[in-house]
Amino acid sequence: MALNRRKFLEKSAVTGAGVALAGAVGAPAAQAAEAGKGREKRYSLTVMGTTDLHGHVFNWDYFKDAEYKDTAGNAQGLSRISTLVNQVRAEKGRCNTLLLDAGDTIQGTPLTYYYAKVDPITAKGGPVHPMAAAMNAIGYDAVALGNHEFNYGIETLRKFEEQCDFPLLGANALDAKTLKPAFPPYFIKTFRVKGAPPVKVAVLGLTNPGIAIWDKAYVQGKLTFPGLEEQAAKWVPKLRSMGADVVVVSAHSGSSGTSSYGDQLPYVENSAALVAQQVPGIDAILVGHAHVEIPELKVTNAQTGKTVVLSEPLAYAERLSLFDIELVFAKGRWSVESVASKVLNSNSVADDPKITKLLKADHDVVVKYVNQVVGTATETLTTVEARYKDAPIIDLITKVQEDVVRAALAGTEYASLPVIAQASPFSRTSEIPAGKVTIRDLSSLYVYDNTLVAKLLTGAQVRAYLEYSAEYFVRTAAGAAVDVEKLTNANNRPDYNYDYVSGLSYDIDIAQAAGSRIKNLTWNGAALDDAQKFVFAVNNYRANGGGAFPHVASATELWSESTEIRTRIAEWVTAKGVLDPKDFASVDWKLTRDGTPVF
C-alpha cells in the first residue's frame, strides 16, 4: 500500500515531530542458526540495492532504436535486475532480504519523459508511471529520493509517490516553512527469527542538497535540503532508540567528499563516506548519484572505530549491490557481527518475462513516439569531435536558444541587447543522419530535460565564464604531440561542464595556464568591451549554479520557461522542415597553442 502523504503530514503536525514510520510487518519465520557451546543464535540478512535507474526498464537504447550495447558488454534495465533479485530471494529466502534503491528514478530516458510530459501521470485518469509499475512488481521495500526526482516539479513527484507501493525516503528533504520532513525519513522492517527475538532493520533515506540549486524553480520557498551528515546525526540515534538492530542508509550522494557546485551551498554534494566516518551507529550505506561502481568500500567511523561498508552499483540497472549482514544474539540483544558487499552484473541474466509483459505496451508507445519524423537533414551532423572542435551540431542548440530568447524578450527593455548562448557537448556519439530526422535523433543530441533561462551578463563576466569553461582542456605545450583522447576533461571535469558560447569569436590557447587561455575575444568584429551587456541564453542547470561557472547563478534573470530545450529544438526543426547547417552553423572558437591553431 502506498504511503499516504496527507495522513503523514497531519500526523507530523499533530505530534510536532517530523517522524514518519513507513512500516513493514514481520516476514515469515526464519530459522536461527545455533552453534558453539553457548548455542549462540545467528541470523543472516541480505540487503539488495540499485541506484540511478534513470528510467531504464529494458535493455533498449531509444536514441538508436536498438538493443543497448557498449564496449564493456553491459546490459541495462529493471527487467534484468528483477531476474537477479528473484535469484537472490530464491537462494536466501525472500523473508531474509530487503530491496532498496538510492534515487534518480523518474528522469533519464524518453520513456520517463513521455509519461511526465506527453502522456503525463498527473492528468486526470492518467497512466501509472512505468517505473512505479516495474518497481512495485519487483517488490522494492523503500527508495531514497534522488535530485532528478524533482526535475518535473513537485506535482509529478507526488503523483509518482502515490503510485508506489513503497515509501520515497528523504530525511533531509524538509518543508521550507515548518522544517519538518516533507517525505518519510525512514522505513523499518521487522524480520522474524525462530527461537529468538525479531530483528529490526531501519533504512534511513538521504537525498542531495544540490536539489536547492539544480531545481530551484520548483523547490525554492517550498522545500529545503540540509546536509546529509547533520541529518544522519539526528536520525540514526532515534532509529537506534526505537530498537533498530541494523541501520542501513540509502543515500543519493557519492562517496568522494567533493561538490560540483563549489561553495554555493554549505553542504557537501558527495558525502556518503563522510556520513559513515562522522555518524556512529550505521552498518551499511547504499551509495548513489555518482554513477560509479563500488563493489565494497570500508570506512572507519571516527568515534567508534567501527567499520561501515559502502557499495554503489553502476547506474541504469547495470549492477545490483548485495550487502550480506551477519548478526549474532548475545546478552539479550542482536548485534551486527560482519557486513560484506559485492555487486552482481545484470548482463549475466535474461529479462524477467513478468516485467517484459507488464511494460511492453508502454515501451512500444514510446518507441513509436520517438521515431516520428519532424524534418530532413541536408547532411550528417555528429558530436564525435564536438568537445575539441566547434561542431555545427552544437551550434544548432545555441541557435535555437538564441531564437527562443529573442522572441521572448521582443518588446521588452532588453530587446535591443545582443543575445549569446551556451551549450555543452553532452554526448560523444550523437548523430543526426542525412535524410529523415526523428524526435529520437534530436533527443540524442540533448539528453537532459533542461529548460531555458535568460540572464543578464557583462562582457567582463562573459570573459570570466569562458576562462572557467576553458579549464576543461589539459595544458598542452606548443609542439607537443596532441592526443584528442587526452586533451580534455582536465581535473576530471565532465563533458557536460564544458560550454561553447555563441555570438562571439575567441581562441582557447591550451599552451597557457588555466585562467589565461581566452585570446582574441571579439563581439561584432571588435574587441569585447567589458562593460557591454549581453542577454545570455542558458540552461536551467547552469543558470542555477550547476558546474559552478562564475557569475551566472547570481546574475539578474530576465526570463525563464518550463518547456524543455529538447522540445524547442524539435519545434525549430519541425518549423524549418529542412535542417541545413547554413541556417545555424558558425565557427565561433578554436583551440590554439601560442597562437597557432591545434587543428
Side-chain angles (χ1 to χ4, degrees), residues 238-314:
K238 289 185 179 182
L239 297 175
R240 288 293 184 183
S241 70
M242 292 166 62
D245 301 299
V246 181
V247 173
V248 178
V249 174
S250 183
H252 193 75
S253 180
S255 62
S256 65
T258 61
S259 299
S260 68
Y261 41 70
D263 60 1
Q264 293 178 87
L265 292 174
Y267 312 115
V268 177
E269 177 182 355
N270 296 300
S271 63
L274 295 175
V275 171
Q277 183 185 59
Q278 297 176 16
V279 181
I282 298 169
D283 297 298
I285 301 180
L286 175 64
V287 179
H289 184 62
H291 291 217
V292 297
E293 181 177 341
I294 304 175
E296 183 177 72
L297 173 64
K298 294 181 177 180
V299 176
T300 302
N301 184 267
Q303 294 185 40
T304 65
K306 179 182 173 183
T307 297
V308 184
V309 176
L310 284 65
S311 181
E312 180 175 3
L314 208 55

Side-chain angles (χ1 to χ4, degrees), residues 362-386:
D362 290 347
H363 168 75
D364 289 347
V365 165
V366 176
V367 169
K368 183 177 179 181
Y369 165 74
V370 298
N371 281 287
Q372 291 179 78
V373 176
V374 294
T376 304
T378 61
E379 62 183 76
T380 297
L381 302 167
T382 177
T383 59
V384 170
E385 297 181 329

